[in-house]
Every structure is written in C-alpha cells, then in structure tokens.
Amino acid sequence: MKELSVYPIIHRQTVAWGDMDAFGHLNNTQYYRYMESARIAYLMSIDIFDQALLPVVASNQCKYLSPVFYPDVLHIGARVEELRNSAFRMHYVLWSEMQNQVVATGEAVIVCVDKVTSHKVNIPDLIRQKIIELEQKAGHDLIANK
C-alpha cells in the first residue's frame, strides 16, 4: 500500500455484491461513486462546505487497470495535484486488498461556483491554504509544483 503514502486522504470502501455487473466484476460506474466518496472526505477535511461556494465537478476520468471482484475492500487515495484560480485538479488511486495492487486511477477537475449565482469564483484563500497544508502533511508540496 505504499502507493497510498502520498495521499493525505484515504477512503476505505467495501465492495458490495450489488456493485457487480453482469460479467461478475465491479461495474464501471461504481468507480466514480467510490472516487466521489474519497473526494467528499477530502472536501470535508478542508471545510469547503462551510463556504459560500459549491465545489462542482467539471470533468472526470477513470483508468481501469485490473478488474475488481466481490468480495474486496478498496482503499481510495485522494489528493489535489494542481491549484488554479477558481478550480483544482484532484487525483485518485484505488488500491485493492485482494489483489494487493492499484486497480484504477482517476482524475477530476473541481470548479468553485457561488452558491447563489452559480457563477465561477476564485478559491478562497483560507481553502487554498488548507489544501496546501493538507498536501504538505503527505509530503506533497503544491507550491513547489507550480
């Protein structure tokens, strides 16, 4: 699980029988739900929901590296890879206990929008600082990566 050591948030996800598809492996839509759970854990840890903005997913993707089968437990690492003016790019890694390896990776661009007007707004300085500090705890220096 050393692949997860550089991710400040690790979400543990038990794979349910109902998450399987007709071919007997994890349905592709579930990966996005699992990454969403990790993203929400990350966003809650920086108190973004206490702000006058909403973090909206502008784009996301997933690379499937190995099929996942029931029963399994996935550990989903979430981190911010890039800070922009009004958006940030997150990266995810999904690690399987059964396979003892990374089974998928993903990315999402999150845009901050005003709760009332739904217009794009800059990331508040307080939230930007919390992201930088959280990433530093995992050894990831966002400032140096600019």
Side-chain angles (χ1 to χ4, degrees), residues 2 5 16-17 20 23 31 36 45 51 62 64 74 76 83 87-88 97 104 111 113 117-118 127 129 131 144:
K2 68 179 171 62
S5 66
W17 174 260
M20 300 300 105
F23 301 108
Y31 291 81
E36 176 186 54
S45 77
Q51 304 296 308
C62 183
Y64 309 100
L74 301 180
I76 299 107
L83 281 169
F88 49 94
E97 283 187 5
V111 176
V113 299
T117 67
S118 295
I127 296 301
Q129 190 57 39
I131 291 170

Side-chain angles (χ1 to χ4, degrees), residues 28-62:
N28 64 304
T29 61
Q30 294 301 328
Y31 291 81
Y32 287 98
R33 288 185 179 188
Y34 294 173
M35 288 184 284
E36 176 186 54
S37 294
R39 177 173 57 254
I40 296 302
Y42 189 105
L43 297 175
M44 288 180 70
S45 77
I46 60 170
D47 302 318
I48 201 166
F49 297 112
D50 297 337
Q51 304 296 308
L53 62 85
L54 295 170
V56 176
V57 176
S59 67
N60 60 9
Q61 69 172 348
C62 183

Side-chain angles (χ1 to χ4, degrees), residues 13 19 47 52 56 64 74 78 84 91 93:
Q13 179 68 53
D19 294 346
D47 302 318
V56 176
Y64 309 100
L74 301 180
R84 302 174 187 169
H91 190 266
V93 63

Side-chain angles (χ1 to χ4, degrees), residues 53 58 60 63 69 73-74 84 100 113 120 124 132:
L53 62 85
N60 60 9
K63 293 182 182 175
F69 302 94
V73 175
L74 301 180
R84 302 174 187 169
N100 197 32
V113 299
K120 187 167 55 169
I132 291 168

